[in-house]
Structures are given as structure tokens and as C-alpha cells.
Amino acid sequence: MPAPLPDEDAELRVGPPADHAAGLEAVRLSLTNAVRRMGVRKTVRNLRTLNQHDGVDCMSCAWPDPQGHRHAAEFCENGAKAVSWEGQRDTVGPEFFARHSIADLARQTGHWLEKQGRLTHPMVRRDGATHYEPITWDEAFALVGQHLNALGSPDEAVFYTSGRASNEAAFVYQLFARAYGTNNLPDCSNMCHESTGTALMRTIGVGKGSVTLEDLHQADLIVVSGQNPGTNHPRMLTALEIAKRDGARILAINPLPEAGLLRFDNPQKVRGLAGRGTALADRLLRIRSNGDLALWQAIGHLLLRKNVADREFIESSTVGFEAWAKHLETVDRATIEKATGLTWAEIEAAADMLASAKRVVHCWAMGITQHRNAVATIKEFVNVALLQGMIGKPGAGLCPVRGHSNVQGDRTMGIWEKPPAVFLDRLRDEFGFEPPRTYGHDAVDTVKAFRDGHAKVFVALGGNFVAAMSDTEVTAAAMRGAALTVQISTKLNRSHLDAGRTALILPTLGRTEQDRTGGRVQRITVEDSMSAVHASRGRSDPAGPLLRSEVDILCGIAQATLGDRHGIPWADFAGDYERVRERIGRVVPGCDGYAEKISDGGFTMPHPPRDSRTFPTPEGRAVFTVSPLEVLTVPPGRLVLQTLRSHDQFNTTIYGLDDRYRGIRSGRRVVFISAADLAELGYADGDVVDLISEWEDGVTRRADRFRLVEYDTPKGCVAAYYPETNPLVPLDSQAEESGTPTSKWVVVRLERAG
Ligand SMILES: Nc1nc2c(c(=O)[nH]1)N[C@H]1C(S)=C(S)[C@@H](COP(=O)(O)OP(=O)(O)OC[C@H]3O[C@@H](n4cnc5c(=O)[nH]c(N)nc54)[C@H](O)[C@@H]3O)O[C@H]1N2
Ligand SMILES: Nc1nc2c(c(=O)[nH]1)N[C@H]1C(S)=C(S)[C@@H](COP(=O)(O)OP(=O)(O)OC[C@H]3O[C@@H](n4cnc5c(=O)[nH]c(N)nc54)[C@H](O)[C@@H]3O)O[C@H]1N2
Ligand code: SF4
Ligand SMILES: [Mo]
């Protein structure tokens, strides 16, 4: 008899994985879930305006909305889930916190915690107390101000942001942090697309993708690397379908045969309702974990022999071509085959797809960015794109697919621990204070600063830092050591429990809720993954009368901390966000006339490589780069674990316990493993194991009780869900240059659970 699974997973069932994504089942599930959580009235109100002009921007992923015509239902199953989760009728208020001690709550799963409902009251845990108790807003703001003003240096405070915050909230937040005196502004990007920003800044001079939705529709080859769009960016499948209808081909690169890469049954189409939908990937390369740098060096090597170079573009607009071409002469078949687990013939076939394409879009996400060599891999995508001149022309370009709905906008607004000098200069000129110039802490440095006692106050604008970060035990202990933690949140999560000695929970409005701060109906603005900026306005009744908007809360904290220092009109900002937008227009590069452009329906941020093939790098040209190929291996008997998302979660928010595309029901503690590894290691499907990660520091990191699920994954490569597996990711295991935790490469061994 295998050891039992934890209670929440007691009913775990495993069936066959799906061979296509979406379909009628997706529509049925979104509607039943929505009505169950929100009731009929709120469901109609929220979903009718979702992603419509003058409606609510979906707060789930950062996939863009179509520019012109919109369908009546311009959202996907997972967008509907996010909306119903936020719109849930249950609430957690003072009675709940009086009933449950913090220690009790800490024993619950993340799923249970969020499921209790929306936070409705500002709450405080006073130093030494066992429970949270209510506090007034004014007292809460004063408490934050006292703590911040008592620090020896502003750099002892850290201001974290999760990518759901609006542009207005982000702008006010970074302004406050810098007026207070620090660049300690880490964000979820540090764990997400930081590697992308780092690679693109160096090579094309802009850290963002270079395509619009229209480019995707017009492409004749779309490469999808390290991404599971059927779950994480479901409406991307619509774009892929449109491109395919016009003859595009799709090359997918993934260790797993994700349903959303195989086939899409579009629920908006009659054809979708009747048939099995559209076949998507023309070729799926089942790559070994971390094989992508080797693959793209091999593809570059093959393309160089095919005479497909855009000589004119290379001559006029790039540097470094010769050195790159010379480096790729060293490509060695055996090394490539070992690194990728692919045959040379498969790689040649992929290179042929690129060679015959006229308009190529390269898309990627976490399967690429969360690796040690992530920056090098993305630079290699750029090399190949530059070789073929696939940037700054219709139907072609680079398309990092962002995660959180406004993670890109938050960066644009200055949420960054490494702000560019020009941004700080403009901030100084507008507000008349000298912002700090030294770089601040990123997410990993933040944990170290608290662990080592160098930081004392942690403020979080959304998110769930403790569960999202690597090395959960280390991160949790570090945060418990803080003098004060402040969580601006919609729902209860782990970060409220592994919190500072004094801890505040400040409940905030969600994006679907009507924001009447200052007595007027307020709008906020966001930027999607393709740099389109537009407004969003919630309509439903707030979860409770005490909730305040993020902008309002941040201005309250700023006023209580800085008072009249620097003469920044915090109350005016909170009273009318138009005042914030005016400042954004004057400070943020590329946002001139921001307020007016938003009123006119929004705009797309300038992007010189996309718009005019100009590259704002130090060289003034796009840069080919040379990356040495390092093939990562693991000792015998060990496996490489990638930590990924199920279909029923949004990051650390667990909506439910199913992952229907992968055949999993009613549980999350599973490890997907190949039949070959099962046989070699002496296990069988259904066995329950503990996972132990191995890292050079010799510390034992473990996550216990997972059911092995035989799955179609390459030998040596296993997969399990995050955040349950974050205790296994060593804090120091980071991507080179970008510092992102290597969530897709964790060396583990299995032990039979006792
Ligand atoms: N519903 C839903 N939507 C979301 C989110 C969510 O949690 N739920 N999260 C949002 C956020 S913040 C983000 S960043 C995105 C994440 O979107 P994704 O990047 O799609 O998310 P993951 O689940 O991490 O999936 C990583 C994919 O990369 C593959 N992969 C792993 N290792 C490798 C490798 O070495 N090489 C290659 N080629 N592939 C590899 C995995 O098999 C998997 O298919 O989604 C956003 N949208
Ligand atoms: N092992 C592993 N770790 C990972 C990843 C991985 O693939 N593997 N992925 C990484 C990635 S890509 C990311 S982006 C991070 C995500 O890290 P975070 O962004 O920090 O985490 P989320 O789970 O998105 O945050 C969820 C919480 O946000 C709060 N919230 C929800 N809506 C709102 C709102 O409108 N306003 C406010 N103020 N709060 C709100 C709720 O309280 C909720 O509990 O995790 C990273 N961690
Ligand atoms: S694709 Fe992303 S942004 Fe669009 S509706 Fe679905 S979850 Fe929301
Ligand atoms: Mo992300």
C-alpha cells in the first residue's frame, strides 16, 4: 500500500490527458463556476463588460485584446475564473480572525486560505499577538509611517509589487518609495520575465516584445517556446488559429505535449462546437529541459549554411554578426543531441521551417526564462531573428508572452530596482527632489536582506511573496524576522501568516469593483504584453464598505510617512486619478499626453525597433551576441524537476484541484514522470514519494508526499506544480545576469514516502 496523500489530495484521480484545449466544456465550467461564486446578477454584470471598450480589463494574464471589433464574450475560461474568484460573495472579517489564530491558519493550504473569501477590514497583528485584530485606516497608515520614519536608512525598507497593480497605483508607489529614499522596488518580474528584459535590453535596446496582435495574425511561422498557452494565455489560441487559417505554420518547443499546443476547439465558433477544432502545432519538438540554447545554436548554425541571411539588414542595422557566425561553426552534433534530447534530423526539419518562412514571430514564456542560461537562450532567439531580419516588419518579431495582466505596465511606470537614469532625471525635474541613484534589491536580494537583518520593513502591493518566491522555508523565516510587513491584498494568503512581528493586512478593491475614491467614479489604466495601454473601469459593488483602492491606500501611507516633505500632493492624486495620469504623461518616457490619449481610447507605447528598425543600444544598432554553450547534467539517479502551473490556478491562487488537460482531478500533489524513469528507479505509477532537492550548499530541501503519475515527458525530466514545490528551489539557484530563480531546473531525487 502506498503511503497516504495529505487530506486535500485524498480523492486524487488520474485519467488520460486531453488532446485539445477549450471547447464547450470550457464554456460550461466558466459559467457554472461564475454563478456559484458570484451569483447570477454579478456574473452578468462582470462578464458582459470583460475586455470590452470602456469595460473591465481582464486581470488574469497579459494577453492583448483585439483592436477593432470585439465579440460579445471576449474572454476565456481562465479569465472568467479570475473574475469569479475576485467577485466571490464570501468574506473574511474581524470575526473570522478572532476565531482563527495565526498559527491555526498557517496549517491550512493556500487553496483553503483564499477560498475563505474577500478581505474586508484593515487588520493588524501587534507584536507578540496570536491573532489579527481590526485597526482603523488612519491608525494603520500612522503605524506604517512611524516604522518607516524610525529606520536607520530608507534602504532598510522594501516595496514589492505584484503585476496586477494599475499604472496609477504603480506610479504613485514608486514615487513614494523614491521620495522616501530607496530603489528597493522588487516585483514579480524578478521571478518571471526578468531574463527577457535583460536579454532584449542588451540586444535590441528595449526590454519589451516587438510585435502587435496583428503581426501574429500575419505571420507565416510562429514559434512557441516554453509556454503552455491553453492554460496560461488561452486567447493566444485564437490568434494562432487566425494565423493558421491564413496559412501560417506553428513550431512548438516543449518537453510536454500540452493540449493547447496540439489542437484548439474554439468555443466562439460553430465549427468549434461541432468538430474537434483546429490542429495547432505543425511540429512539436519534445525538448529536454534546458535544451533550448543548444537547439537555437544548432538552428542558427544550419540557417547560416542555407543562405537565408537578410544581408542588407545585417549590414545596415546590426553589429557582431561575424563573431556570432564564427562561434556557431563550433556547433557539434553530438553535444546538441545530448543537450536537447532531439535527433539532428528533427532539428534540421525545424531549421527548414524557419528557412522557408518569410515572416516569423518568436513567442516564449517561463519554460525559457526560469533557467540558469535563460538570458543566453533569449539572446539566441534574437540572433536567429536578426539573421533573418525578423524584426520591425509586419508579421515578424519577438513576442515574450507576459504573465500578470499589468506586469509590463508596472515596469513602464518605474517599478524597478534598477531604474534608468533618464527616468530618475525626469522624476526629479517634475517633483523637485533628488531620487536615490543606487540600485535596490530584487526579489532574491530582498529575502537575503531580511534573512541577514539588513531590511526591516516590507510593503507588498498585492501578490504572495512568501509562496511565490523560491526556497519557501528560507523566505518564510526571513519575512517572519521583519519588524513590520504590510500586505495590500484582496484575499488571505501565506504571506499574511509568515509575516513580520507587527503585520498589517490592508484590504483593497479588485479591478472588477466600482472605485468611488474621492466621491467620483475612477478609472485605472494598464498595459498589455504588446504595449497597448488603455483604461479599465470596474462596475460591481465592492466586497465591503471599508475597502479602499490601491491608489488611495498608497497615498494614505505616503502622506502619513512623508507629510509635506517634497510638497507632493498625495490627497489630490487619490481624489482624482486624472492628476496621476497628468504626471505620468510628464515623467514616463513614451507617455507624453497620457491623460488625453487614454481619454481617446488608449494608445500603443512607442517601440523603436518595431516602429522604425532603430535600436537604442549603446552601439545604436541591434547586437548579435555570443553565448558559450554549457550543457547542464545531473548525477545518476537524479532527475530535473520543472515547477509549473495547473489549469486551475493563477500563480499561488489555487482555484480548484483539477488540471483537466493533463488528466488530473481533485488533487495537486503529483509528479509527472516518464515510464523509462519509473522503470529505471524502481517505482510504479501511483507510488507516493518525497522529493528532495540537491544543491551545492548541501542543505536538504524537501517536499513530501507526491503521487507519481506516468506521463509523456522526456526521460530524466519530471514536472510538478508550483507553489507546493517552491521549498525545493534553492535561493541561490538563479539565472545568470537576470537573477530569476531557476524554477524550471531543480535537481531532485525521489524517496519512497514512509
Ligand atoms: N490561468 C493562468 N494563467 C496565467 C498564470 C496562471 O498561473 N494561471 N500565470 C501568469 C503568469 S504570472 C505567467 S508568467 C504566465 C506563465 O505562463 P507559462 O510560461 O505558460 O507557465 P508555466 O506553467 O510555468 O509553463 C511553462 C511551460 O514551459 C515548458 N517548459 C519547461 N521547461 C522547459 C524547457 O526547458 N524548455 C522548453 N522549451 N519548455 C519548457 C513547460 O512544459 C510548460 O509548458 O502565465 C500567466 N497566466
Ligand atoms: N516554483 C515556481 N515559482 C514561481 C513561478 C514558477 O513558475 N515556479 N512563477 C513565478 C512567476 S512567473 C510569478 S509572476 C510569481 C507570482 O508572484 P505574485 O505576483 O507575488 O503572486 P500571486 O500568486 O499572483 O499573488 C496572489 C495574491 O495577490 C493578491 N491579489 C489578487 N488580486 C489583487 C489585486 O487586485 N490587488 C491587490 N493588491 N492584491 C491582489 C491576493 O491576495 C492573492 O492572494 O511567482 C513566481 N514563482
Ligand atoms: S487570455 Fe488572459 S487576458 Fe484574455 S480573457 Fe483569458 S485570462 Fe483574460
Ligand atoms: Mo509571471
Side-chain angles (χ1 to χ4, degrees):
M1 266 297 278
L5 288 165
D7 288 350
E8 199 173 73
D9 292 64
E11 308 284 309
L12 174 68
R13 279 168 291 133
V14 177
D19 62 358
H20 69 276
L24 262 189
E25 178 73 351
V27 180
R28 189 184 67 74
L29 282 171
S30 5
L31 292 179
T32 45
N33 270 330
V35 172
R36 183 161 50 85
R37 294 210 178 99
M38 300 191 286
V40 175
R41 249 189 63 223
K42 213 166 179 182
T43 298
V44 173
R45 180 175 297 175
N46 277 337
L47 294 185
R48 200 167 40 88
T49 59
L50 191 57
N51 294 330
Q52 301 297 337
H53 298 288
D54 196 36
V56 186
D57 178 73
C58 175
M59 67 289 216
S60 192
C61 79
W63 191 254
D65 302 320
Q67 292 290 326
H69 169 77
R70 302 206 178 163
H71 289 278
E74 199 54 77
F75 57 87
C76 70
E77 177 193 348
N78 281 343
K81 271 186 213 158
V83 167
S84 10
W85 195 251
E86 180 171 295
Q88 187 186 359
R89 285 174 293 191
D90 311 86
T91 54
V92 295
E95 322 74 56
F96 175 90
F97 285 104
R99 223 170 33 242
H100 300 281
S101 71
I102 293 169
D104 279 350
L105 293 171
R107 281 189 284 275
Q108 300 290 349
T109 62
H111 177 218
W112 187 92
L113 291 173
E114 283 216 25
K115 208 169 58 176
Q116 302 314 305
R118 286 288 300 278
L119 297 160
T120 51
H121 289 64
M123 304 294 300
V124 64
R125 190 268 293 275
R126 305 210 185 259
D127 199 351
T130 54
H131 289 68
Y132 275 101
E133 60 187 81
I135 183 171
T136 65
W137 281 107
D138 285 344
E139 272 181 273
F141 295 153
L143 189 64
V144 184
Q146 280 155 20
H147 272 266
L148 288 175
N149 286 322
L151 293 181
S153 149
D155 289 330
E156 291 174 5
V158 176
F159 300 91
Y160 173 72
T161 310
S162 164
R164 197 170 275 187
S166 65
N167 281 351
E168 288 74 5
F171 184 81
V172 166
Y173 193 39
Q174 63 80 32
L175 173 63
F176 164 57
R178 295 190 167 112
Y180 169 69
T182 184
N183 282 316
N184 284 342
L185 285 156
D187 67 350
C188 65
S189 260
N190 298 146
M191 314 172 212
C192 183
H193 264 292
E194 195 68 58
S195 308
T196 297
T198 307
L200 296 187
M201 277 301 274
R202 177 66 200 106
T203 52
I204 64 168
V206 180
K208 303 178 182 182
S210 77
V211 297
T212 61
L213 201 48
E214 205 42 46
D215 289 319
L216 235 91
H217 296 164
Q218 292 172 13
D220 67 358
L221 177 66
I222 300 173
V223 186
V224 184
S225 296
Q227 216 199 318
N228 178 21
T231 285
N232 297 315
H233 304 92
R235 283 194 311 158
M236 178 175 174
L237 302 189
T238 309
L240 297 180
E241 185 183 43
I242 292 172
K244 284 223 81 162
R245 197 185 53 206
D246 288 345
R249 299 208 290 163
I250 293 173
L251 168 63
I253 302 160
N254 202 303
L256 303 181
E258 307 284 26
L261 297 172
L262 303 175
R263 197 168 261 284
F264 174 44
D265 187 355
N266 189 339
Q268 278 175 343
K269 289 215 182 112
V270 181
R271 180 160 52 84
L273 296 184
R276 286 182 60 237
T278 311
L280 291 178
D282 295 85
R283 181 171 288 279
L284 171 59
L285 292 182
R286 301 292 305 286
I287 197 161
R288 278 193 53 214
S289 235
N290 198 255
D292 303 81
L293 176 60
L295 172 68
W296 286 91
Q297 295 203 340
I299 290 179
H301 170 87
L302 291 166
L303 290 179
L304 280 166
R305 286 148 187 242
K306 283 183 196 290
N307 208 12
V308 294
D310 184 339
R311 291 275 161 203
E312 203 184 299
F313 173 71
I314 293 173
E315 287 286 307
S316 66
S317 306
T318 72
V319 295
F321 174 72
E322 298 303 331
W324 176 66
K326 190 156 187 319
H327 173 64
L328 291 196
E329 284 171 14
T330 64
V331 161
D332 162 64
R333 269 190 202 203
T335 311
I336 301 292
E337 289 184 338
K338 180 168 169 234
T340 59
L342 303 168
T343 63
W344 193 253
E346 284 177 292
I347 296 173
E348 278 182 321
D352 285 344
M353 288 174 83
L354 279 131
S356 60
K358 301 273 173 292
R359 296 175 303 281
V360 183
V361 174
H362 294 263
C363 305
W364 68 91
M366 297 303 103
I368 300 301
T369 63
Q370 297 175 332
H371 276 290
R372 180 152 107 201
N373 56 10
V375 174
T377 304
I378 297 160
K379 285 179 176 170
E380 214 59 54
F381 295 164
V382 177
N383 286 336
V384 170
L386 295 179
L387 171 72
Q388 296 190 278
M390 295 297 174
I391 188 160
K393 70 176 193 185
L398 303 163
C399 180
V401 182
R402 303 272 166 185
H404 265 295
S405 61
N406 198 40
V407 63
Q408 185 159 320
D410 292 344
R411 266 294 157 89
T412 304
M413 294 299 124
I415 301 292
W416 197 6
E417 74 282 0
K418 299 187 185 71
V422 45
F423 184 92
L424 297 180
D425 292 346
R426 294 176 66 146
L427 205 61
R428 175 198 59 206
D429 296 347
E430 177 67 20
F431 291 101
F433 68 89
E434 186 54 57
R437 299 277 165 170
T438 45
Y439 287 169
H441 297 317
D442 67 5
V444 170
D445 292 340
T446 294
V447 175
K448 291 182 178 168
F450 281 98
R451 180 194 64 190
D452 301 341
H454 303 316
K456 302 199 165 73
V457 175
F458 181 78
V459 182
L461 178 55
N464 183 2
F465 188 72
V466 170
M469 259 303 287
S470 47
D471 230 339
T472 312
E473 297 306 318
V474 176
T475 298
M479 300 322 292
R480 287 194 300 265
L484 174 73
T485 55
V486 183
Q487 300 282 343
I488 302 170
S489 311
T490 52
K491 288 209 170 179
L492 189 61
N493 66 41
R494 181 72 40 207
S495 302
H496 304 122
L497 309 174
D498 285 307
R501 291 192 295 281
T502 301
L504 282 166
I505 300 177
L506 304 181
T508 190
L509 293 173
R511 210 184 276 172
T512 53
E513 290 167 323
Q514 193 172 65
D515 179 350
R516 297 195 59 95
T517 307
R520 66 179 80 225
V521 176
Q522 304 264 15
R523 297 185 299 175
I524 52 102
T525 55
V526 291
E527 175 183 345
D528 65 34
S529 198
M530 296 182 185
S531 306
V533 184
H534 61 86
S536 171
R537 181 158 72 87
R539 285 182 168 70
S540 58
D541 296 333
L546 291 183
L547 296 193
R548 292 202 181 180
S549 76
E550 292 177 339
V551 175
D552 196 16
I553 296 171
L554 294 168
C555 290
I557 292 176
Q559 184 69 50
T561 308
L562 300 177
D564 291 335
R565 217 189 304 170
H566 309 312
I568 300 169
W570 303 108
D572 291 356
F573 288 166
D576 184 355
Y577 305 167
E578 201 67 8
R579 302 283 89 79
V580 182
R581 288 189 278 273
E582 286 162 4
R583 302 301 186 113
I584 291 174
R586 294 210 286 271
V587 171
V588 181
C591 289
D592 316 78
Y594 192 78
E596 299 82 61
K597 286 182 187 158
I598 292 299
S599 299
D600 292 345
F603 68 105
T604 297
M605 292 285 297
H607 188 293
R610 179 196 65 209
D611 303 336
S612 57
R613 283 195 158 183
T614 47
F615 299 92
T617 58
E619 295 84 350
R621 288 168 171 236
V623 182
F624 280 93
T625 48
V626 172
S627 301
L629 176 60
E630 180 198 17
V631 181
L632 301 183
T633 53
V634 299
R638 291 358 183 215
L639 300 160
V640 174
L641 169 74
Q642 63 145 319
T643 63
L644 40 52
R645 294 155 171 78
S646 81
H647 192 64
D648 269 4
Q649 76 181 83
F650 188 88
N651 298 339
T652 69
T653 294
I654 311 302
Y655 302 126
L657 303 178
D658 294 350
D659 189 8
R660 81 171 184 281
Y661 293 157
R662 300 195 185 104
I664 304 298
R665 306 271 164 178
S666 303
R668 291 179 49 84
R669 294 187 87 85
V670 292
V671 176
F672 299 100
I673 182 169
S674 69
D677 284 320
L678 282 174
E680 192 172 298
L681 298 172
Y683 289 104
D685 177 272
D687 284 353
V688 176
V689 296
D690 298 338
L691 303 176
I692 294 106
S693 93
E694 295 187 349
W695 176 248
E696 56 207 33
D697 60 6
V699 172
T700 303
R701 294 178 176 81
R702 49 191 309 140
D704 290 343
R705 290 181 195 273
F706 288 77
R707 181 201 190 280
L708 292 176
V709 174
E710 183 182 322
Y711 203 78
D712 185 7
T713 174
K715 182 167 183 302
C717 304
V718 298
Y721 303 129
Y722 118 87
E724 288 82 348
T725 44
N726 252 339
L728 299 169
V729 188
L731 192 63
D732 286 326
S733 182
Q734 292 172 269
E736 284 156 4
E737 295 183 70
S738 67
T740 300
T742 63
S743 309
K744 298 294 188 275
W745 178 279
V746 187
V747 178
V748 295
R749 66 170 197 271
L750 311 181
E751 273 178 13
R752 208 171 283 280

